[in-house]
Amino acid sequence: MISVSIIFFSFSSAVALFLLSYILYHVIIAPRFNPLRKLAGPPLNGPLHNHMSPVLDPFRSPKTHAAYVEKYGRNVRIRGLGPWDERLLPLDPVSVAHVLKNSTIYEKPWQSRRLITSLIGCGMLAAEGHIHKRQRRVATPAFSIQNMRALVPLVFSKGEELKDKWMNMSQAMKEGQIASEKQNSGQVEIDVCHWISRATFDVIGLAGFDYHFNAIQNESDELFVAYKEMFEIAVSQGDGVRTVLGIYFPIINSLFPDKRAKTVHRCQETIRRVAGKLVQQKKSRIMDGEKSGSAYTGKDLLSLLLKSNIATDLPPDQRISDEDILHNINTFMFAGSDTTSLALTWTLLLLAKHPDMQARLRTELLSIVPTTPISRLSPEEIESLHNTLQNLPCLNNVCRESLRLIPPVHSSLRVATQDDEIPVSYPVHLSDGTISEQKSISVSKGSFVHVPVEAFNLDKGMWGPNAWDFDPDRWDHLSEDVLSLPGLYSNLLTFSAGPRSCIGMRFSMIEMKTFLYILLTTFTFAETNKRIYKANVVLTRPYVSGQFKKGSQCPLIVTPLESITTS
């Protein structure tokens, strides 16, 4: 008995000593040899201090990034979550392009992937390496220009439905004003963030897997409620400390689930049941069509994804599972609804703040309004109208400027999977106060690289002294510095760059321009007396001052154009 106790004690002591040594090495010893320590960076106020808040908070980050560039150059060392976490903050376009281009060397950290996977599964947002490559290969045909154009009439129909809903709300307000003998302007305060989110959910439901959420009319559909609760409550309203603990120790959420964990689990059960059934139904229709010789003609992304997955030119080992299909549908739901609705919301708020630009854009849009109502146009006529929309200069400039000024994705994180040399195009400021003309920066395996999407879009050194202002006309005379910036869309990092750039960029722009066309040719938008501020909660979201717990909100005064012309 004594010998067993001694053995157990010795074993426990050895394990404890090993863990202590491991922690000491990674927390104290290894960071001392991190080559990033040679770079200049902002000071620390203590061993537990970090730079995450000023870098990630949209209210502070523009000034923070500008100050860093001025003091420490364009490749800055910052502190992450602990003394072991020295990060590179690259503000040099050549450095950022290298990181985003080499996606096998710079992957999303396992922490980010675990968080994403815990919510929407291991789709293209979370997958890395050969898994991501395989998923992207299967999904790419679904996002072809031809397939995206086929979805244009659907987007127009949902834009019209949202317009009609807002007109009904305005009419109800007008009738109430008449009854109370007030001025019958038809003005109504609308939380555009809430309503546009409902509309984009409807769009992606139909475009994604031919499913009718009917969210514009009501919010009762169980699948809509599941997605909405998971994205809004579980993500936006989550507790930061508990979320971090759940990432590092996932068993906590199983043994001691909090409200967030219970919400996520309940929503995932609904999604697996309802959406999983849709996947199987679609799969059966496609297989039945192949057997009968009459191919299934569904044009939703799920149908196209399933068809691509069984294509004869795709090797069997490159195909993805039904579970992967469902995870990518979840990814499309998140990326295709939340990001686009936020981009539209921020655009309408910016136009409300700049009524002259709103009027200019409206004049351009009204100039192409057909004499026949959209509801009576054929699909070919709608596509022709959309083609005209695509080439409107003021609309293009407004969309690009809004996406530049307030990108829905504030920043991104990568981790080096091997030692690497990141090229630079600017002198490197070192921690000893000297400035080096070296051609690259050494990054060791395991180091984090913070990709500052917003900082690049707002860099005064690239975009000029008015970089923080809303100025769509800047796009008519871009500098050579801007034209050399990396980015999938208009030299912006809003849709990222490189192999992991946004696969749904074309569809997002179709939604954005179509909704702006329909809404701005029907309504005017003005600010309320409520202060709207930006907060980075997974995405850059609008909140009313003092009402953070109520979730994302962006109330605007919406007035039908007919009320203005007749008053």
Side-chain angles (χ1 to χ4, degrees):
M1 178 67 73
I2 295 176
S3 60
V4 172
S5 299
I6 293 173
I7 293 172
F8 178 77
F9 177 77
S10 300
F11 177 76
S12 300
S13 299
V15 171
L17 182 61
F18 172 79
L19 291 175
L20 181 61
S21 301
Y22 181 86
I23 293 171
L24 287 174
Y25 174 77
H26 284 279
V27 173
I28 297 177
I29 299 173
R32 293 181 180 276
F33 298 96
N34 190 330
L36 292 180
R37 288 173 65 93
K38 297 178 181 179
L39 297 180
L44 293 162
N45 297 326
L48 299 180
H49 182 245
N50 64 65
H51 302 115
M52 291 296 92
S53 180
V55 167
L56 293 174
D57 179 4
F59 180 74
R60 304 163 62 191
S61 55
K63 291 182 179 179
T64 298
H65 291 130
Y68 285 179
V69 170
E70 183 179 352
K71 294 180 181 179
Y72 312 113
R74 289 193 168 272
N75 278 287
V76 185
R77 171 185 47 82
I78 60 172
R79 172 66 61 83
L81 296 179
W84 61 89
D85 186 5
E86 299 287 357
R87 301 185 180 186
L88 175 65
L89 176 66
L91 296 152
D92 182 326
V94 171
S95 304
V96 170
H98 174 83
V99 170
L100 295 177
K101 178 182 177 182
N102 293 281
S103 59
T104 56
I105 299 177
Y106 296 95
E107 297 183 345
K108 286 186 178 179
W110 67 264
Q111 296 92 334
S112 300
R113 288 186 277 128
R114 179 172 286 179
L115 175 61
I116 296 169
T117 301
S118 70
L119 291 170
I120 59 177
C122 191
M124 276 185 286
L125 271 180
E128 285 291 352
H130 71 278
I131 298 176
H132 176 268
K133 187 176 181 180
R134 187 168 67 228
Q135 291 185 2
R136 181 120 184 174
R137 180 177 178 181
V138 171
T140 295
F143 289 90
S144 68
I145 295 175
Q146 181 180 358
N147 287 331
M148 292 299 97
R149 285 175 178 168
L151 298 174
V152 167
L154 182 158
V155 180
F156 267 85
S157 69
K158 283 299 174 181
E160 283 287 293
E161 187 179 342
L162 179 64
K163 177 200 75 175
D164 291 341
K165 188 70 174 181
W166 286 4
M167 284 295 291
N168 290 339
M169 293 166 65
S170 173
Q171 185 63 34
M173 177 65 72
K174 182 185 291 187
E175 291 172 356
Q177 290 172 332
I178 293 173
S180 61
E181 298 183 351
K182 294 182 179 179
Q183 184 180 357
N184 58 337
S185 64
Q187 285 186 352
V188 60
E189 182 178 303
I190 292 177
D191 179 2
V192 297
C193 183
H194 172 75
W195 282 97
I196 290 178
S197 176
R198 288 169 66 165
T200 55
F201 257 101
D202 267 0
V203 170
I204 200 63
L206 289 168
F209 42 89
D210 195 25
Y211 185 84
H212 292 266
F213 286 122
N214 290 319
I216 294 176
Q217 301 305 324
N218 60 72
E219 298 179 280
S220 60
D221 181 85
E222 64 172 337
L223 188 56
F224 169 78
V225 171
Y227 276 122
K228 193 68 177 173
E229 276 194 309
M230 190 165 69
F231 293 163
E232 181 67 26
I233 298 174
V235 178
S236 302
Q237 302 296 308
D239 177 85
V241 175
R242 174 64 188 242
T243 300
V244 171
L245 288 174
I247 292 172
Y248 284 90
F249 309 102
I251 195 172
I252 291 176
N253 288 329
S254 299
L255 296 178
F256 309 104
D258 60 356
K259 180 180 178 182
R260 176 187 181 278
K262 291 177 181 177
T263 299
V264 170
H265 179 74
R266 174 170 48 80
C267 293
Q268 287 175 337
E269 286 293 315
T270 301
I271 291 168
R272 272 193 289 268
R273 175 172 52 81
V274 181
K277 184 178 179 182
L278 289 171
V279 171
Q280 295 307 315
Q281 288 175 344
K282 286 283 183 184
K283 198 172 179 181
S284 297
R285 290 177 187 174
I286 292 171
M287 299 303 292
D288 291 345
E290 284 197 342
K291 291 177 183 177
S292 65
S294 178
Y296 179 61
T297 58
K299 296 187 181 299
D300 56 279
L301 296 177
L302 174 57
S303 297
L304 296 171
L305 201 61
L306 289 168
K307 289 178 186 177
S308 174
N309 199 41
I310 61 173
T312 55
D313 61 344
L314 185 70
D317 63 338
Q318 292 298 308
R319 292 172 183 169
I320 61 179
S321 66
D322 288 352
E323 186 178 23
D324 286 337
I325 295 280
L326 179 57
H327 291 165
N328 277 294
I329 289 299
N330 290 343
T331 299
F332 300 155
M333 286 301 305
F334 173 73
S337 62
D338 229 15
T339 53
T340 303
S341 68
L342 288 169
L344 274 164
T345 296
W346 288 121
T347 303
L348 289 176
L349 177 62
L350 288 168
L351 290 172
K353 290 176 175 289
H354 299 84
D356 290 345
M357 180 55 66
Q358 182 182 161
R360 272 180 58 189
L361 177 56
R362 181 176 293 106
T363 298
E364 179 182 76
L365 296 174
L366 287 171
S367 70
I368 66 164
V369 172
T371 54
T372 305
I374 290 177
S375 59
R376 294 211 291 266
L377 294 178
S378 66
E380 293 75 20
E381 289 171 325
I382 289 178
E383 185 172 339
S384 175
L385 175 59
H386 178 260
N387 289 338
T388 304
L389 264 183
Q390 290 289 85
N391 298 312
L392 293 180
C394 188
L395 178 61
N396 275 333
N397 288 352
V398 166
C399 288
R400 288 185 289 190
E401 183 68 352
S402 172
L403 290 168
R404 181 192 72 84
L405 198 60
I406 313 179
V409 178
H410 180 272
S411 54
S412 184
L413 195 62
R414 296 291 185 268
V415 63
T417 60
Q418 64 185 55
D419 293 349
D420 190 36
E421 292 290 324
I422 297 181
V424 299
S425 60
Y426 287 83
V428 177
H429 292 232
L430 302 178
S431 57
D432 61 7
T434 61
I435 298 178
S436 171
E437 295 296 330
Q438 63 194 65
K439 301 301 181 183
S440 65
I441 292 172
S442 298
V443 175
S444 58
K445 179 180 178 180
S447 294
F448 287 146
V449 179
H450 186 94
V451 181
V453 175
E454 181 208 58
F456 257 81
N457 289 359
L458 301 182
D459 193 328
K460 290 186 177 182
M462 306 292 175
W463 297 91
N466 70 336
W468 299 355
D469 300 332
F470 180 66
D471 179 19
D473 291 330
R474 78 171 71 247
W475 292 91
D476 293 330
H477 43 79
L478 296 178
S479 67
E480 289 298 320
D481 287 338
V482 169
L483 294 173
S484 66
L485 293 175
L488 176 67
Y489 173 76
S490 296
N491 304 101
L492 299 172
L493 285 184
T494 304
F495 291 100
S496 193
R500 294 196 64 103
S501 59
C502 178
I503 195 172
M505 185 268 290
R506 288 194 189 100
F507 185 63
S508 179
M509 294 311 302
I510 288 172
E511 281 190 277
M512 193 169 179
K513 290 184 176 181
T514 299
F515 273 68
L516 287 175
Y517 166 74
I518 291 172
L519 296 177
L520 287 168
T521 54
T522 310
F523 306 101
T524 64
F525 297 87
E527 293 182 273
T528 67
N529 58 2
K530 299 173 183 175
R531 188 177 77 84
I532 309 296
Y533 70 96
K534 294 181 288 185
N536 182 9
V537 277
V538 181
L539 299 172
T540 302
R541 303 172 186 272
Y543 290 87
V544 173
S545 181
Q547 299 182 20
F548 180 78
K549 287 296 183 181
K550 292 185 177 181
S552 303
Q553 295 182 85
C554 185
L556 293 177
I557 300 298
V558 181
T559 308
L561 279 178
E562 62 182 30
S563 299
I564 298 174
T565 56
T566 57
S567 61

